[in-house]
């Protein structure tokens, strides 16, 4: 029998899950709605699923957003890792406070300000050098600047519990510092890098404000498209698109979980036999 | 048939007593300062090939710092370190012919036992078959072959210790540094591993420098011991020398337990001295000379196991005192008697329990006589 406390916990959990997932479920349900109106249910249909591929604007916006998110996450992980390592490792160097401030400022800076300052920078740069043209490149650069901060913070906090004796041991066994970093440090903190990558990916995919400032007329990201179409009246295709994204994310999470579980199982089996 | 002391037989040559012998590791006037604080303060030390040298000292005495300077993780603020005749200044850790076994073992968590051990050989660019062969051989030596595919977190403390040792040994360094190699093991395993480690050291013939704060461990394992205190070396010698002839109150007190009393030198001959010690209620006769002027204040150190306890007054006129048994500590193999002397001072005597469940020879509150041989008292001037 469940005691009172665990029943309370279960109820609270059920509410929390309901709060989180009912909107998502309703998006999926409404993607099969027959009606033109997003909010009125008028019967089951696959109409909008069939129509989405024809909506080239939406498809290309989605692809653009995914591409930007991918590039952003990858670059942000590389730069953010170096920044995080520098912050964690070098406790005292000239300008450390300034460096810390510069790296973490994007975390607290209002998006509007980030957007407008980056826009000013890009406009000036383009006038002076002819590069970058506003669009994919500028959005990606802008996203890297603010997602990098998140990666840096994740890596830095992972390194707080990192045992530096491991690096010394590797050096002692003959590995040069650069090699030690790639062969010992990186593999050990890899989970932090993966979560950093996923976070950067999601942040980039999600960003509306900054992208709106720095993108050009040719490149419309998905959030921009959705936002502007909402003002004109939402097309039910958005529900379909949302369902697809939810589906992709779910599959990704399931695969990741399965992989982790399998590794755990193998590890446990090894521990038993061996 | 000649009876040979096994400890002597095992390490017959004593290069530190041979002025012609060339030290393998030379530490010359090394100082290490952290900002304004000297962790290592002007240490000079010669270590010879094949030694198992122990750095012994209390917490914060600078043992690890000295070891880390040998490994190259810290640079001396002053002085220099030579290994096999080569000045190590400016040589980074990855280029030194030295390997270290870390106190925390520092096994790479993402590699299995085999990969951990092979890591150092890979850095040397050895061909694969040769690496496999050497890893296999060293795994055999530390008896870890059946665990080759395990990750460090699947090993017990003792097994991790063996892997760490194997990983440091497999490169066949000129010098192996061990920072408290056995500290993480429980007492029983530690004692067993001490002898294993000694056997391995003899087999591979590599010079070991070991840090420990466990004096029994140092006594058991080391060819020589350097006792450190607050960044300085107080005494260097074989375990026997350090125990029987400590050169200061600090060493006498640090190694084993000891009874220590103040006294005044009244007679100083080349073959004996006489010390007047109010604490012991009379004069003490010691059969070796000291370098102090008559009238000087000195300390007398007597090891508890060198003291005899009896109900009747022993023969002789010197080195006898009386007291009342205050406490008896039964330790199984031996018992410790704490006797309050007439001066109020306490004298500790350790007697073996030779007969099983025997009535103790002496009981609580009994008046007893305590005596010791003239050769067993140590006179200390500092
Ligand atoms: N990097 C450092 N910066 C400042 N002080 C240090 C540093 N490393 C060591 N010390 C200081 O130097 C002194 C000696 O330290 P060390 O680690 O050598 O002691 P130890 O003899 O190994 O002690 P333990 O038995 O506790 O390991 C200590 O007082 C310590 O606080
Ligand atoms: Mg230490």
């Amino acid at each position: 029998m469940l005691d009172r406390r665990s029943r309370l916990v279960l109820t609270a959990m059920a509410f929390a899950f309901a709060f989180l997932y009912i909107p998502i479920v309703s998006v999926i349900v409404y993607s099969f709605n027959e009606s033109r109106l997003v909010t009125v249910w008028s019967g089951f249909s696959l109409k909008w699923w069939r129509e989405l591929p024809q909506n080239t604007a939406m498809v290309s916006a989605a692809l653009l957003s995914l591409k930007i998110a991918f590039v952003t996450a990858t670059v942000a992980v590389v730069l953010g890792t170096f920044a995080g390592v520098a912050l964690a490792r070098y406790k005292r160097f000239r300008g450390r406070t300034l460096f810390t401030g510069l790296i973490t400022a994007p975390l607290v800076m209002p998006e509007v300000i980030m957007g407008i300052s980056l826009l000013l920078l890009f406009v000036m740069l383009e006038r002076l050098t002819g590069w970058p043209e506003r669009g994919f490149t500028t959005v990606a650069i802008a996203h890297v600047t603010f997602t990098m901060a998140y990666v840096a913070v994740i890596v830095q906090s992972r390194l707080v519990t990192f045992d530096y004796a491991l690096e010394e041991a590797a050096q002692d066994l003959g590995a040069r510092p650069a090699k030690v970093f790639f062969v010992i440090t990186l593999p050990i903190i890899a989970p932090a890098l993966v979560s950093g990558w996923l976070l950067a990916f999601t942040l980039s995919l999600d960003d509306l404000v900054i992208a709106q400032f720095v993108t050009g007329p040719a490149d419309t990201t998905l959030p921009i498209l959705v936002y502007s179409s909402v003002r004109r009246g939402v097309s039910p295709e958005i529900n379909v698109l949302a369902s697809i994204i939810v589906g992709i994310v779910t599959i990704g999470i399931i695969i990741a979980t399965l992989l982790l579980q399998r590794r755990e199982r193998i590890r446990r089996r090894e521990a038993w036999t061996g | 048939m000649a009876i040979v002391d096994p400890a002597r037989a095992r390490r017959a040559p004593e290069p530190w007593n041979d002025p012609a012998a060339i030290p393998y590791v030379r530490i010359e006037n090394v100082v290490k300062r952290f900002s304004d604080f000297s962790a290592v303060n002007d240490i000079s030390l010669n270590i010879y090939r094949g030694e198992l040298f122990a750095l012994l000292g209390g917490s914060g005495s600078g043992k690890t710092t000295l070891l880390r300077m040998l490994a190259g993780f810290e640079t001396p603020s002053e002085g220099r370190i030579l290994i096999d005749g080569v000045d190590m200044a400016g040589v980074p850790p990855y280029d030194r012919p030295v390997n270290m076994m870390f106190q925390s073992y520092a096994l790479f968590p993402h590699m299995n036992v085999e990969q951990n051990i092979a890591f150092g050989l890979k850095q040397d660019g050895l061909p694969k078959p040769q690496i496999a062969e050497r890893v296999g051989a060293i795994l055999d030596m530390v008896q870890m072959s059946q665990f080759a595919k395990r990750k460090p977190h699947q090993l017990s403390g003792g097994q991790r210790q063996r892997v760490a040792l194997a990983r440091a040994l497999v490169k066949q360094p000129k010098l192996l540094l061990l920072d408290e190699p056995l500290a993480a093991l429980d007492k029983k395993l530690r004692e067993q591993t001490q002898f294993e480690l000694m056997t391995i050291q003899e087999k591979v013939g590599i010079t070991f420098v070991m840090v420990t704060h466990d004096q029994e461990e140092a006594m058991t394992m080391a060819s020589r011991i350097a006792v450190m205190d607050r960044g300085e070396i107080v005494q260097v010698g074989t375990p026997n020398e350090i125990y029987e002839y400590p050169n200061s109150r600090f060493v006498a007190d640090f190694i084993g337990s000891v009874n220590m009393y103040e006294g005044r030198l009244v007679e100083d001959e080349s073959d004996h001295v006489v010390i007047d010690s109010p604490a012991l209620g009379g004069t003490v006769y010691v059969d070796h000379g000291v370098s102090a002027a008559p009238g000087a204040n000195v300390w007398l150190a007597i090891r508890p196991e060198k003291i005899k306890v009896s109900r009747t007054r022993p023969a002789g006129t010197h080195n006898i005192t009386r007291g009342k048994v205050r406490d008896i500590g039964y330790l199984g193999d031996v018992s410790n008697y704490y006797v309050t002397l007439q001066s109020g001072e306490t004298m500790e005597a350790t007697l073996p329990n030779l007969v099983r469940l025997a009535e103790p020879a002496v009981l609580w509150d009994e008046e007893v006589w305590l005596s010791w041989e003239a050769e067993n008292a140590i006179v200390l001037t500092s």
Side-chain angles (χ1 to χ4, degrees):
Chain A
M1 276 274 42
L2 293 171
D3 61 28
R4 278 177 87 92
R5 231 185 55 212
S6 54
R7 215 176 305 165
L8 186 75
V9 171
L10 277 183
T11 319
M13 218 164 71
F15 268 107
F17 271 106
F19 208 72
L20 266 173
Y21 289 108
I22 285 177
I24 294 176
V25 171
S26 53
V27 160
I28 297 173
V29 171
Y30 272 93
S31 74
F32 298 104
N33 190 359
E34 218 255 293
S35 164
R36 265 217 78 77
L37 297 165
V38 176
T39 48
V40 183
W41 180 261
S42 66
F44 181 85
S45 143
L46 288 175
K47 183 166 103 196
W48 302 110
W49 282 82
R50 276 196 298 272
E51 235 149 76
L52 178 71
Q54 262 89 63
N55 188 338
T56 47
M58 201 168 271
V59 171
S60 65
L63 286 180
L64 178 72
S65 272
L66 287 174
K67 241 190 294 180
I68 291 176
F70 186 85
V71 171
T72 298
T74 310
V75 177
V77 161
V78 174
L79 297 180
T81 301
F82 283 118
V85 168
L87 282 180
R89 180 131 344 153
Y90 305 110
K91 292 279 175 274
R92 269 179 301 178
F93 58 87
R94 277 173 70 90
R96 186 179 193 277
T97 319
L98 182 68
F99 184 66
T100 314
L102 285 179
I103 283 185
T104 45
L107 296 178
V108 290
M109 187 92 75
E111 282 181 308
V112 180
I113 295 178
M114 284 247 349
I116 200 154
S117 51
L118 281 165
L119 175 65
L120 285 175
L121 172 77
F122 291 140
V123 168
M124 204 163 69
L125 261 183
E126 195 183 5
R127 199 175 301 149
L128 289 176
T129 65
W131 183 90
E133 197 177 327
R134 262 171 292 149
F136 179 93
T137 322
T138 48
V139 177
I141 293 175
H143 283 182
V144 167
T145 32
F146 85 93
T147 55
M148 191 187 92
Y150 289 86
V151 179
V153 169
I154 291 177
V155 169
Q156 186 193 2
S157 57
R158 169 61 187 88
L159 287 174
V160 168
T161 57
F162 186 81
D163 179 9
Y164 288 105
L166 295 172
E167 292 187 342
E168 287 183 346
Q171 273 205 38
D172 187 64
L173 291 165
R176 277 152 192 286
K179 176 136 195 215
V180 173
F181 181 73
F182 286 108
V183 184
I184 303 295
T185 317
L186 268 193
I188 293 174
I189 64 167
L193 302 194
V194 172
S195 26
W197 193 93
L198 287 173
L199 185 64
F201 188 87
T202 321
L203 286 171
S204 163
L205 198 63
D206 195 46
D207 168 67
L208 169 67
V209 179
I210 294 176
Q212 207 150 28
F213 274 102
V214 298
T215 194
D219 290 329
T220 308
T221 65
L222 191 62
I224 296 178
L225 184 84
V226 171
Y227 184 68
S228 52
S229 61
V230 165
R231 275 185 305 184
R232 275 186 270 116
V234 197
S235 144
E237 285 155 340
I238 284 175
N239 289 340
V240 176
L241 197 63
S243 305
I244 291 174
I245 290 177
V246 168
I248 291 174
V249 169
T250 312
I251 290 170
I253 289 175
I254 290 174
I255 290 176
T257 315
L258 285 180
L259 280 178
L260 277 179
Q261 269 177 0
R262 214 182 60 150
R263 251 181 47 189
E264 190 57 33
R265 259 205 313 277
I266 291 173
R267 225 161 53 182
R268 237 177 281 147
R269 206 170 37 233
E270 273 174 357
W272 273 102
T273 59
Chain B
M1 200 174 78
I3 294 171
V4 183
D5 177 357
R8 299 261 157 227
R10 212 181 54 227
R11 303 179 196 283
E14 296 187 341
W16 49 89
N17 287 332
D18 174 5
I22 298 164
Y24 199 52
V25 179
R26 302 172 75 119
I27 299 169
E28 296 179 350
N29 304 100
V30 164
V31 176
K32 178 65 192 180
R33 272 186 292 268
F34 294 110
S35 47
D36 57 342
F37 165 78
S38 300
V40 166
N41 200 357
D42 194 16
I43 281 185
S44 296
L45 204 57
N46 288 334
I47 299 169
Y48 296 84
R49 188 190 292 265
E51 269 202 86
L52 202 167
F53 194 93
L55 296 170
L56 177 63
S59 192
S61 56
K63 309 178 296 284
T64 300
T65 308
L66 186 58
L67 206 67
R68 288 171 60 81
M69 284 192 279
L70 286 169
F73 297 126
E74 310 277 2
T75 7
S77 314
E78 279 169 36
R80 46 177 213 156
I81 293 173
L82 290 91
I83 297 175
D84 203 7
V86 182
D87 191 344
M88 286 289 127
V91 181
Y94 47 85
D95 284 335
R96 293 198 181 197
V98 170
N99 284 127
M100 178 146 162
M101 186 181 148
F102 288 75
Q103 180 169 359
S104 58
Y105 303 148
L107 298 176
F108 307 132
H110 57 302
M111 299 182 188
N112 66 25
V113 168
E114 217 169 44
Q115 292 163 330
N116 260 285
I117 297 175
F119 185 85
L121 298 174
K122 267 195 206 153
Q123 308 312 312
D124 291 349
L126 247 59
K128 273 218 175 92
Q130 210 173 324
I131 292 183
E133 188 190 318
R134 273 169 70 172
V135 170
I138 203 102
L139 277 172
D140 271 348
M141 188 166 85
V142 298
Q143 298 162 23
M144 286 291 293
S145 303
Q146 67 268 46
F147 303 111
K149 300 289 181 213
R150 286 217 193 160
K151 291 273 181 70
H153 68 91
Q154 300 164 334
L155 300 174
S156 72
Q159 291 165 340
R160 274 180 222 170
Q161 187 264 349
R162 285 149 193 270
V163 177
L165 179 66
R167 186 178 71 177
L169 273 179
V170 76
K171 290 195 72 174
Q172 300 171 352
K174 289 183 172 175
L175 184 63
L176 187 75
L177 308 172
L178 306 101
D179 193 356
E180 312 233 359
L182 308 176
L185 308 181
D186 62 56
K187 193 169 185 309
K188 193 110 194 184
L189 190 57
R190 193 162 62 216
E191 282 168 4
Q192 180 191 334
T193 314
Q194 284 171 2
F195 290 105
E196 277 179 18
L197 205 56
M198 288 161 73
T199 314
I200 287 174
Q201 195 251 345
E202 271 161 49
K203 208 183 297 178
V204 295
I206 291 172
T207 310
F208 280 28
V209 176
M210 177 180 87
V211 160
T212 178
H213 63 251
D214 178 345
Q215 44 115 352
E216 273 178 45
E217 190 171 294
M219 300 286 286
T220 312
M221 297 177 67
S223 59
R224 281 192 306 153
I225 298 173
V227 182
M228 291 182 66
D229 180 33
R230 279 170 285 171
E232 292 176 17
I233 290 185
V234 208
Q235 188 172 4
V236 183
T238 62
N240 193 292
E241 283 165 8
I242 298 238
Y243 188 79
E244 300 292 347
Y245 309 103
N247 65 359
S248 62
R249 284 192 295 155
F250 176 82
V251 176
D253 204 30
F254 191 75
I255 313 277
S257 41
V258 73
N259 296 295
M260 194 99 64
Y261 307 100
E262 261 191 281
R264 200 169 50 82
L265 203 62
V266 289
E267 197 183 320
D268 183 16
E269 302 294 328
S270 63
D271 65 335
H272 74 273
V273 292
V274 175
I275 289 157
D276 176 41
S277 171
L280 292 172
T283 53
V284 177
Y285 185 93
V286 182
D287 75 347
H288 59 81
V290 292
S291 53
N297 277 325
V298 293
W299 286 272
L300 268 170
I302 312 166
R303 299 277 181 203
E305 77 275 8
K306 308 250 156 88
I307 293 172
K308 290 198 275 292
V309 180
S310 58
R311 288 199 173 94
T312 52
R313 186 187 161 96
T317 50
H318 290 290
N319 303 349
I320 296 171
T321 185
R322 287 199 78 167
K324 193 168 165 189
V325 177
R326 174 166 52 88
D327 258 322
I328 303 176
Y330 177 72
L331 296 181
D333 49 349
V334 295
S335 289
N336 286 334
Y337 293 80
Y338 298 89
V339 180
T340 308
L341 304 180
Q342 277 154 352
S343 64
E345 300 258 355
T346 298
M347 182 174 270
E348 183 186 351
T350 302
L351 302 181
N353 293 319
L354 297 175
V355 185
R356 190 165 170 227
L357 291 182
E359 283 286 301
V362 173
L363 294 171
W364 272 268
D365 290 337
E366 247 186 279
E367 287 280 337
V368 290
W369 293 94
L370 301 153
S371 61
W372 58 94
E373 299 295 327
E375 68 202 42
N376 284 335
I378 308 155
V379 182
L380 300 168
T381 52
S382 64

